[in-house]
Amino acid sequence: MRTLWAFAGAVVLDAFAGWLFLDGHATLALVTHLLACLLLAGTMFYLLPVQYQKPVAPTLVFLFVLFFALPGLGTIGISAAMLYALYRPLGEGGMALTEHPIPELPFEPKALSAKPVYSLGGLRAILKNASEPNKRLAAVMATRNMPDQEAIPILRLALKDLEDDVRLLAYSLLDGKENSINKQINQLQTQLKDPTQQAQHWRFNRQLAEKFWELSYLGLAQGELRQYVLSRAAQYAQASIEQHPTTATEVFLGRVYLALGRYQEAQPLFERAADTTIARRHVMPYLAEIAFYQRRYDDCRAHLAALPPQANGSALQQLREYWHGQS
Amino acid sequence: MVKADVLLILEGTYPYVRGGVSSWVHQLILGLPELKFELLFLGGHPSHYGPIQYTLPDNVTGLSVHYMMDDQDSLLGPSSRPGNSERFELWRQVQDHFRDSRQPIPAELLKALFESLGKSDGLPEEDFLYSQASWQVLADYYLQYCDEPSFVDFFWAYRNIYRPLFKIARIARELPKVRLLHAISTGYAGFLGAGASQLTQTPFALTEHGIYTKERKIDLIQAGWIKESEDRLGPNLNAEMGYIRRMWIHFFEQLGRTAYQHASPIVALYEGNRQRQIRDGAPPEQTQVIPNGIRLGRFAKALAARGPEIPMVAGLIGRVVPIKDIKTFIRAIKEALPALPELEGWIVGPTEEDPNYLHECQLLVDSLDLAGKVKFLGMQDVSAILPQLGVVALTSISEAQPLVLLEAMAAGVPVLATDVGSCREIIEGLGEEDRALGKAGAVVSIASPGAAARAMVEMLTDSDSWQAYQQAGLKRVEHYYDERLMFERYQQLYKEAMSWPE
């Protein structure tokens, strides 16, 4: 408040200096203006934002010179402009700036080449041949970054390891994978019991069939258990087809029957799918497989012949070439 | 004034948890009535434990209970303080040993640590948590060694890892005077024993049933609560763990290594574990093997109660916890049923330790349509159950020397076990003389329900083999696993350890 009074006093004093000047008292006017400017500079100094008050002496001198050079209304104008500008800096709205986020980089460069980067075969070789238990443990650790289908055979191999640590780790990794599938099965079975979701039951049945199939496909269920989970997969797939038949589910059920060795039930499902052009090339190998198991080798050859050429070097292409070579 | 002969330091077992190590501790105390035992129990959090599960024998002089994660501790309010940088030099040295766990903490440093941690004129816990000096040590550690980006994760891991040491040191300073400290595992219990032994110059013995550090390591590798930064540079098959996970593992490795370094003797239940202890830092000359034993008389009645027929029941006697791999047992029953439709699987043992796992097992029973075929019987009198079983199966993925196999053999039941711990020794015999007694059952690989099922069916359907397994089992427990042998050896061990000059 005191500062404002001082500021107002300084302005009045400067106005008085102007009147003296106009009245012909030039020297007196100059002295009054000088006093007014000193007062104004001191007052303005306190009104400035703190970060602009340093260094003190040059700031005071600058203010004094500025006010001294602009007598009369100039002091009011410059004071108002200065305070406004310093307290209300320009916003970013009108400026042509684009913000770029700092690119995310690793905390420190990763020397990839210095770390062991295993191949699938390498992992098996380590598990079978490495005498140092920590190396075998590391091989099991490496499976954490692999797809389940590739990791599980390696983990099963590690279950036979003589070292407790290796076995325990492999076991807990396998158990974790299986638990996650079993939890999903449990969840889907609960949903299937919910009558309010009747419209979705075909979908739940289909998903349940896939989960049971996964247990067998990944090698998590073997022997008698494999037969059991496959038969559950077949039951659920059948239920899904009854509620909402789709070619995809029929082909899926065909694959389950094929895995169960129930060829006669699998065959019509694949044949029906083969009538639709989209699924044709997918089901021909299965039909060939059934024909092979049933010792109908001519049919087997015919089915493979109907298969369009596959990528060079692929297992299916090799099979195709083998059978064609025979013809 | 000496309060007791032996102070047993127990981590997460007796008298709050039943079975396994706890049964052994109870048996040991009862078997050596001429000695007085003081008990010290270390637990995680009070909510993890229920009431005491055993009637404490008369020769127990007292029980003190301490929890590593006590809610009371978290009431310590934050307040900034400078901390004493010189005293934190000691902390720096100790921490270096935990960071690089290849060498144990030397005796002098260990003593200084236990004298100083948590004391107002030493290294107060408040200083560790809130002082600038502590912050400086922590920040230096992070900048110098941690290669993970999250400082926040590091900060909390660092605190959680090291804070229990303050509690351990306080407990060690307040221990009653005894003639011998005896820890029944490494970990916090073993470290407490090692530190207290340095502080009070009391001899310190260590008995390990399983291998604590190994089990902790497997838990930590799997632990989902340890955050790990994802490798975004592509799917390479990198086997490296994150720094914080390694930090936890090194911590427990050091606890074990220091316990080994300061304990004498170090007892394992079988040779395999003794070798493992040596590999993990135990001086070979301090190690010895004392196998478990059982009271044969207790099972004579069970043997006499057996009927002429072989019951078509396979029993798994043990806690329902993942390490016992109950699921493989359940699957084995499923696999055996086509060949032996009248077979039943009984799971006998406490179920409250891991309710989630119990639920998973029950779901598996349901999903395999085994309701009525696989039964969870809970806690039972083992000697009453054994005559009703045709075979005792143990499908564990890790064991030391399971008493249940010995008990089954003493009750005339052939056994089937996975090839872990000393199961093979127990079933097939160790030396030439032992092996000549014959096999008491079958050994199969872990997590192999098919193999377990085949062995079960073979044992239960071939009466001649069954009889031969029974006879071999009876002879073997009588010759090698009578509890009197174990008591004699512990009596001797205690006598020698307590004869140290005071």
Side-chain angles (χ1 to χ4, degrees):
Chain A
M1 195 66 194
R2 207 178 292 169
T3 340
L4 281 176
W5 278 114
F7 182 76
V11 172
V12 171
L13 198 62
D14 210 22
F16 182 58
W19 179 79
L20 285 174
F21 181 75
L22 291 173
D23 211 25
H25 302 88
T27 315
L28 200 58
L30 190 68
V31 173
T32 312
H33 177 58
L34 192 120
L35 286 173
C37 287
L38 279 173
L39 186 59
L40 208 55
T43 314
M44 267 302 285
F45 179 82
Y46 283 104
L47 288 174
L48 284 181
V50 181
Q51 67 268 33
Y52 291 106
Q53 289 177 350
K54 283 181 184 171
V56 179
T59 307
L60 279 169
V61 170
F62 170 74
L63 288 171
F64 173 75
V65 171
L66 194 69
F67 290 129
F68 192 76
L70 290 165
L73 290 175
T75 54
I76 299 171
I78 200 74
S79 303
M82 191 188 284
L83 288 175
Y84 182 81
L86 293 180
Y87 279 102
R88 300 285 304 269
L90 277 179
E92 291 172 0
M95 298 170 82
L97 290 178
T98 316
E99 193 174 309
H100 292 277
I102 297 168
E104 207 168 300
L105 287 172
F107 178 65
E108 59 183 24
K110 293 198 176 188
L112 281 178
S113 59
K115 287 183 177 176
V117 179
Y118 301 112
S119 68
L120 208 57
L123 289 181
R124 275 178 197 280
I126 291 169
L127 274 176
K128 281 185 177 164
N129 306 317
S131 55
E132 170 59 39
N134 278 335
K135 272 193 185 166
R136 304 203 299 275
L137 197 66
V140 175
M141 291 280 293
T143 63
R144 295 186 309 166
N145 302 320
M146 290 163 64
D148 285 352
Q149 205 193 335
E150 290 171 6
I152 287 168
I154 291 173
L155 293 173
R156 296 199 76 87
L157 181 67
L159 282 181
K160 296 187 174 69
D161 202 286
L162 291 175
E163 190 69 26
D164 244 16
D165 303 27
V166 180
R167 268 202 323 260
L168 282 174
L169 180 62
Y171 177 82
S172 58
L173 288 171
L174 269 175
D175 197 47
K177 290 181 197 299
E178 198 187 336
N179 260 343
S180 117
I181 298 177
N182 281 335
K183 270 185 191 151
Q184 292 171 47
I185 288 179
N186 187 243
Q187 214 170 4
L188 285 163
Q189 281 171 333
T190 312
Q191 284 176 306
L192 200 58
K193 285 179 194 152
D194 183 355
T196 63
Q197 300 200 52
Q198 190 86 38
Q200 294 295 316
H201 279 189
W202 70 271
R203 201 186 298 277
F204 299 148
N205 274 318
R206 167 73 203 253
Q207 286 170 343
L208 271 164
E210 282 167 354
K211 292 296 156 200
F212 275 104
W213 167 258
E214 210 175 333
L215 285 173
S216 150
Y217 182 69
L218 292 176
L220 290 168
Q222 296 185 330
E224 189 66 34
L225 279 172
R226 179 173 173 272
Q227 295 298 105
Y228 174 78
V229 297
L230 284 173
S231 63
R232 293 297 296 268
Q235 280 169 16
Y236 284 113
Q238 188 68 54
S240 177
I241 290 168
E242 280 164 19
Q243 289 157 346
H244 182 88
T246 66
T247 307
T249 314
E250 286 186 353
V251 171
F252 174 79
L253 180 59
R255 290 183 67 190
V256 178
Y257 282 148
L258 185 56
L260 279 166
R262 289 155 68 173
Y263 306 125
Q264 291 194 335
E265 287 161 279
Q267 194 173 341
L269 291 165
F270 289 133
E271 279 170 352
R272 212 162 36 234
D275 293 341
T276 63
T277 46
I278 300 171
R280 190 173 169 77
R281 64 193 180 88
H282 293 300
V283 297
M284 292 327 265
Y286 299 127
L287 281 169
E289 197 175 335
I290 292 172
F292 179 80
Y293 285 129
Q294 292 181 331
R295 295 165 186 264
R296 294 182 284 111
Y297 300 120
D298 286 340
D299 287 350
C300 182
R301 190 175 293 123
H303 289 314
L304 286 174
L307 192 70
Q310 304 289 307
N312 270 343
S314 70
L316 209 52
Q317 181 62 13
Q318 285 175 22
L319 193 71
R320 202 168 163 270
E321 282 164 10
Y322 175 82
W323 282 87
H324 280 251
Q326 296 289 308
S327 60
Chain B
M1 172 73 184
V2 174
K3 189 175 179 193
D5 296 305
V6 182
L7 173 78
L8 290 179
I9 310 174
L10 306 151
E11 188 177 329
T13 55
Y14 190 78
Y16 287 94
V17 175
R18 277 206 159 270
V21 178
S22 297
S23 311
W24 179 89
V25 172
H26 194 65
Q27 183 190 12
L28 183 78
I29 298 172
L30 285 173
L32 299 172
E34 69 282 8
L35 293 174
K36 293 209 177 307
F37 290 90
E38 175 76 12
L39 308 180
L40 188 147
F41 174 87
L42 292 176
H45 188 272
S47 65
H48 299 166
Y49 305 94
I52 289 181
Q53 301 286 322
Y54 291 84
T55 308
L56 298 182
D58 292 339
N59 53 333
V60 170
T61 55
L63 163 70
S64 55
V65 181
H66 304 272
Y67 297 103
M68 293 295 107
M69 295 181 292
D70 203 332
D71 289 339
Q72 291 300 313
D73 286 359
S74 59
L75 298 176
L76 204 64
S79 64
S80 69
R81 56 193 66 233
N84 186 324
S85 306
E86 281 171 27
R87 289 179 197 162
F88 270 93
E89 275 315 305
L90 165 84
W91 180 246
R92 245 184 234 274
Q93 286 177 43
V94 172
Q95 184 197 267
D96 281 348
H97 277 89
F98 279 108
R99 185 179 45 73
D100 181 352
S101 55
R102 282 173 294 184
Q103 293 300 321
I105 299 176
E108 281 306 305
L109 186 59
L110 189 68
K111 190 171 178 221
L113 180 77
F114 272 76
E115 277 171 347
S116 145
L117 278 198
K119 271 170 88 173
S120 54
D121 58 347
L123 239 169
E125 192 171 353
E126 293 84 343
D127 278 11
F128 170 72
L129 293 175
Y130 308 121
S131 75
Q132 283 171 15
S134 178
W135 173 268
Q136 199 52 55
V137 179
L138 179 153
D140 288 350
Y141 183 155
Y142 175 73
L143 290 172
Q144 212 169 338
Y145 300 108
C146 183
D147 59 7
E148 273 190 35
S150 170
F151 176 73
V152 176
D153 288 347
F154 172 83
F155 174 84
W156 288 108
Y158 178 93
R159 278 190 171 213
N160 291 335
I161 288 172
Y162 293 121
R163 201 172 165 195
L165 296 184
F166 288 82
K167 180 153 251 172
I168 298 273
R170 268 201 304 273
I171 299 169
R173 288 195 295 270
E174 290 160 9
L175 288 183
K177 196 164 164 50
V178 292
R179 296 169 66 199
L180 173 73
L181 301 161
H182 186 186
I184 314 299
S185 68
T186 57
Y188 295 114
F191 193 70
L192 170 59
S197 164
Q198 284 306 316
L199 270 185
T200 58
Q201 294 305 304
T202 310
F204 166 50
L206 172 67
T207 296
E208 265 199 297
H209 285 240
I211 297 288
Y212 181 103
T213 312
K214 172 190 79 185
E215 283 160 15
R216 267 295 155 108
K217 190 172 167 183
I218 300 296
D219 287 348
L220 287 165
I221 288 175
Q222 281 290 288
W225 50 267
I226 302 178
K227 284 184 190 160
E228 219 153 66
S229 57
E230 284 174 38
D231 188 348
R232 294 181 185 175
L233 295 179
N236 73 63
L237 298 182
N238 187 358
E240 287 283 316
M241 279 180 277
Y243 189 84
I244 290 171
R245 207 178 286 276
R246 277 181 280 150
M247 199 169 148
W248 274 102
I249 291 173
H250 288 170
F251 174 75
F252 282 105
E253 279 176 351
Q254 184 56 271
L255 291 186
R257 199 170 280 273
T258 301
Y260 287 145
Q261 192 62 29
H262 298 280
S264 174
I266 299 163
V267 181
L269 298 188
Y270 71 105
E271 182 58 23
N273 267 6
R274 189 181 83 91
Q275 291 302 330
R276 173 71 194 233
Q277 288 171 329
I278 293 169
R279 245 175 45 213
D280 287 355
E285 65 281 7
Q286 309 290 4
T287 59
Q288 58 172 284
V289 174
I290 303 183
N292 279 342
I294 54 164
R295 195 174 355 135
L296 296 176
R298 193 179 150 216
F299 298 96
K301 238 181 172 176
L303 178 63
R306 294 201 73 81
E309 296 289 313
I310 302 172
M312 290 298 129
V313 180
L316 186 151
I317 302 173
R319 295 167 297 136
V320 180
V321 290
I323 207 157
K324 299 283 176 191
D325 195 6
I326 309 282
K327 290 182 192 171
T328 286
F329 175 74
I330 297 169
R331 291 189 189 106
I333 297 290
K334 178 77 187 173
E335 293 239 3
L337 277 173
L340 204 60
E342 66 269 47
L343 177 70
E344 285 191 16
W346 294 0
I347 297 160
V348 182
T351 52
E352 62 277 0
E353 199 174 318
D354 192 338
N356 287 338
Y357 187 69
L358 172 68
H359 183 61
E360 285 172 20
C361 292
Q362 285 166 335
L363 282 180
L364 185 66
V365 169
D366 288 345
S367 72
L368 294 181
D369 288 334
L370 287 172
K373 280 291 177 188
V374 172
K375 297 173 182 167
F376 292 88
L377 302 184
M379 279 296 288
Q380 299 282 332
D381 176 2
V382 175
S383 49
I385 284 282
L386 282 170
Q388 304 174 55
L389 304 179
V391 59
V392 161
L394 191 70
T395 46
S396 302
I397 47 167
S398 177
E399 281 287 351
Q401 194 211 11
L403 282 176
V404 66
L405 292 184
L406 303 175
E407 291 172 348
M409 283 153 67
V413 192
V415 292
L416 158 69
T418 42
D419 192 4
V420 293
S422 63
C423 292
R424 192 178 281 279
E425 281 177 32
I426 292 174
I427 295 173
E428 296 180 354
L430 182 60
E432 210 172 297
E433 202 182 319
D434 189 359
R435 268 198 284 271
L437 296 175
K439 291 183 183 179
V443 181
V444 294
S445 325
I446 67 161
S448 308
R454 281 191 294 280
M456 246 180 230
V457 172
E458 187 267 326
M459 289 165 89
L460 290 172
T461 51
D462 183 344
S463 172
D464 291 345
S465 301
W466 193 91
Q467 298 293 346
Y469 291 144
Q470 182 188 58
Q471 290 310 312
L474 286 168
K475 281 184 208 151
R476 183 160 295 123
V477 280
E478 203 174 304
H479 276 80
Y480 298 100
Y481 298 105
D482 187 336
E483 69 174 2
R484 276 175 308 173
L485 298 169
M486 181 182 98
F487 293 146
E488 276 167 22
R489 297 186 70 178
Y490 267 99
Q491 217 159 20
Q492 184 63 23
L493 180 153
Y494 282 153
K495 201 172 138 194
E496 281 171 18
M498 288 190 287
S499 65
W500 276 24
E502 286 192 25

